[in-house]
Amino acid sequence: MNLKKLLAAATSVLTVSIAALIILLILTYAYPSDGGGFAEDVRQNLNYAESTENINNPDQGFYRPVYVRVTDGGADYNKGIISASTQLYHLRIDISVFSGAVNGVADKPLSESAVSGLEELLSFLNQNEKSAVVRFAYDPFYGGEKNKEPELQTMLNHIKQVCPVLNRFQTAITAIEAGMIGPWGEMHSSSIADAAHITPVLETFLSNTEDIPVLARTPKMIYDYLGITVNQIENYAVSSTDKAYRLGIYNDGYLGSQTDVGTYTNREKEVEFLSKQTAHLPYGGEVVVPDSSLHDIDKCLPEMFKMHLSYLNIEWNNKVIEKWKNTNYNSACGNENLYFGKTAFNYIENRMGYRFVLTESLFNCSGSKLKISLTIKNVGFGNLNKQKYTKLLFVNEDGEVALTRQAENFTGCSSVNYETDLTLKNGKYAVYLYIYGGESEGKPHYALQFANNQIWNDALKANKIGEIEITKNISAV
């Protein structure tokens, strides 16, 4: 080899070596493997805008009513009404045959088959990951009859019989509407619709359930339970350690008049008081009286936010529902231009309960450690009223879950941080956050979906929060 070729070869080797050294230095700085972390967090390439699509998350939204007839032989209901498109149901449970005022013989305890029938119903909902608001009543066929209740002690015994079943299916139960008394179980009209009977009903439900919200029909029923009056509610707060912290309200006269058809004595004052309870409890019911201006989209939204509205009956009042479907959200309603031109129905449906939007996802990877920082905005009327569990899923390029890590519980806070060790082979991985309510037969269920486009994986029931690439001695994000 002549001198010219030798010099050329040497120069080529030197050039390659210098290039390799530069690359190594860049990689060592950007993706250190010594635990030093990135110089800066890496913002993940995701769609951080809110979607306007409806999401069937647990424990909220427009519900479908389901009539349940309970007799000595069990519970009879239409299974066909439970559909994929509806997440929340209102179980109207008729136990009237156990009241002497209905059977014409005597009050009697719920039969073993009756209790088993209730358990089978809740198990069916649980298996299908559906949520339910539960109400019991002695009104035959929910036909609107009054004075059909048994003696008070019989009612209380019935509550004690069903509560162990309700406790076993807490994940499926959004709330108990105390009911029991009056037409449709709405706690009015019957001769015993008074504090002497209603307060013991509320106390028995609260004392025999665990972490399940119990809802009364009017705020006065809450005051009676607390031993106060409407004149004493200003600045009154229920302690989080008190059973009454789980005591809220359902409103089947919603937006029907200035008093919500007798629900309120002083609307403004009572809404202020109740909003403290509904901040951590479900609140909803039925809209009524289609000619009320309170239904107008620009008028009803402020109170929906204030009261943390979480559920309504899709079937009543149908004229109000149609009014909302034929009215648009505009600048007179608020400044959410994403919804300008969308219907009032679409906006209200998307705002009932919690609605979480992922607004930022930052990854910081060092060697075998990954730190994740998420910023989440709740744009719903309400809040997350049940603690959720979380898992991080690392999915390889073949779509297989290569690694699962249990993470911190999710309570609906705006900032979430995770840190985990990675034991993964070299390759690219999509990272998902699975937020779920509990486990059934060893499998997580009741998953929570973020309201972002293009991040939900329906097969995994999880939200994509970013990507990582594992290389030898280097973890790249």
Side-chain angles (χ1 to χ4, degrees), residues 157-203:
N157 288 340
H158 287 166
I159 293 171
K160 292 176 183 177
Q161 283 186 275
V162 301
C163 282
V165 179
L166 301 179
N167 286 330
R168 283 197 288 276
F169 293 96
Q170 287 184 37
T171 308
I173 298 175
T174 300
I176 300 166
E177 292 183 350
M180 307 300 285
I181 294 170
W184 311 288
E186 290 187 4
M187 309 179 83
H188 61 71
S189 299
S190 284
S191 59
I192 63 168
D194 54 33
H197 291 81
I198 292 173
T199 297
V201 164
L202 297 176
E203 171 62 24

Side-chain angles (χ1 to χ4, degrees), residues 277-295:
Q277 291 292 92
T278 57
H280 60 267
L281 295 174
Y283 168 70
E286 295 178 331
V287 289
V288 295
V289 190
D291 59 349
S292 170
S293 63
L294 293 178
H295 301 136

Side-chain angles (χ1 to χ4, degrees), residues 393-450:
L393 309 179
F394 296 83
V395 180
N396 63 25
E397 293 177 275
D398 294 326
E400 301 166 334
V401 178
L403 180 67
T404 301
R405 285 284 186 262
Q406 193 75 42
E408 297 295 322
N409 293 340
F410 180 66
T411 58
C413 53
S414 59
S415 180
V416 179
N417 298 287
Y418 301 112
E419 182 174 349
T420 185
D421 290 328
L422 299 177
T423 53
L424 293 166
K425 296 179 181 179
N426 290 355
K428 294 180 179 180
Y429 297 85
V431 185
Y432 288 87
L433 179 64
Y434 184 24
I435 307 174
Y436 62 102
E439 294 192 355
S440 177
E441 299 178 353
K443 297 180 180 179
H445 63 165
Y446 288 92
L448 187 157
Q449 179 178 348
F450 289 153

Side-chain angles (χ1 to χ4, degrees), residues 17 79 105 224 228 248 313 454 464:
S17 298
K79 276 191 176 182
V105 180
D224 289 338
I228 61 176
N313 185 356
Q454 302 168 339
K464 185 177 181 180

Side-chain angles (χ1 to χ4, degrees), residues 151-445:
E151 293 295 321
L152 176 60
Q153 192 56 54
T154 300
M155 282 197 291
L156 302 185
N157 288 340
H158 287 166
I159 293 171
K160 292 176 183 177
Q161 283 186 275
V162 301
C163 282
V165 179
L166 301 179
N167 286 330
R168 283 197 288 276
F169 293 96
Q170 287 184 37
T171 308
I173 298 175
T174 300
I176 300 166
E177 292 183 350
M180 307 300 285
I181 294 170
W184 311 288
E186 290 187 4
M187 309 179 83
H188 61 71
S189 299
S190 284
S191 59
I192 63 168
D194 54 33
H197 291 81
I198 292 173
T199 297
V201 164
L202 297 176
E203 171 62 24
T204 305
F205 269 122
L206 288 169
S207 295
N208 289 276
T209 53
E210 304 163 1
D211 300 323
I212 302 176
V214 176
L215 312 181
R217 175 60 190 87
T218 68
K220 182 182 183 301
M221 295 173 187
I222 298 178
Y223 312 151
D224 289 338
Y225 179 87
L226 295 173
I228 61 176
T229 70
V230 66
N231 296 322
Q232 296 171 294
I233 63 173
E234 192 171 0
N235 299 320
Y236 189 99
V238 180
S239 169
S240 61
T241 60
D242 196 318
K243 280 182 294 187
Y245 195 70
R246 290 191 285 124
L247 184 56
I249 180 177
Y250 67 96
N251 189 346
D252 282 359
Y254 191 46
L255 303 178
S257 67
Q258 185 56 39
T259 65
D260 278 2
V261 197
T263 300
Y264 296 119
T265 301
N266 182 324
R267 188 185 196 103
E268 183 177 354
K269 187 175 183 179
E270 291 177 290
V271 163
E272 187 65 33
F273 167 79
L274 290 169
S275 66
K276 301 171 189 173
Q277 291 292 92
T278 57
H280 60 267
L281 295 174
Y283 168 70
E286 295 178 331
V287 289
V288 295
V289 190
D291 59 349
S292 170
S293 63
L294 293 178
H295 301 136
D296 293 350
I297 182 65
D298 58 319
K299 293 184 175 65
C300 65
L301 289 184
E303 188 178 286
M304 287 179 173
F305 276 106
K306 181 77 172 179
M307 284 289 286
H308 312 287
L309 179 69
S310 53
Y311 67 88
L312 288 174
N313 185 356
I314 190 63
E315 297 180 7
W316 191 262
N317 183 294
N318 59 306
K319 292 184 178 179
V320 178
I321 302 299
E322 285 302 311
K323 176 181 177 179
W324 286 342
K325 287 183 177 180
N326 289 290
T327 305
N328 287 342
Y329 179 94
N330 54 43
S331 58
C333 308
N335 59 1
E336 297 181 64
N337 55 11
L338 181 67
Y339 283 90
F340 287 173
K342 302 288 185 181
T343 67
F345 179 87
N346 181 209
Y347 184 85
I348 292 170
E349 182 177 45
N350 282 1
R351 290 290 175 263
M352 276 193 285
Y354 58 85
R355 186 176 176 88
F356 295 109
V357 179
L358 180 65
T359 59
E360 190 168 60
S361 177
L362 303 175
F363 281 13
N364 190 314
C365 200
S366 171
S368 63
K369 293 185 181 296
L370 174 64
K371 292 183 179 180
I372 299 172
S373 298
L374 305 179
T375 304
I376 301 165
K377 183 179 181 181
N378 181 11
V379 295
F381 294 139
N383 297 309
L384 183 65
N385 299 321
K386 291 181 179 178
Q387 178 177 270
K388 295 281 186 177
Y389 307 98
T390 65
K391 289 183 179 181
L392 293 169
L393 309 179
F394 296 83
V395 180
N396 63 25
E397 293 177 275
D398 294 326
E400 301 166 334
V401 178
L403 180 67
T404 301
R405 285 284 186 262
Q406 193 75 42
E408 297 295 322
N409 293 340
F410 180 66
T411 58
C413 53
S414 59
S415 180
V416 179
N417 298 287
Y418 301 112
E419 182 174 349
T420 185
D421 290 328
L422 299 177
T423 53
L424 293 166
K425 296 179 181 179
N426 290 355
K428 294 180 179 180
Y429 297 85
V431 185
Y432 288 87
L433 179 64
Y434 184 24
I435 307 174
Y436 62 102
E439 294 192 355
S440 177
E441 299 178 353
K443 297 180 180 179
H445 63 165

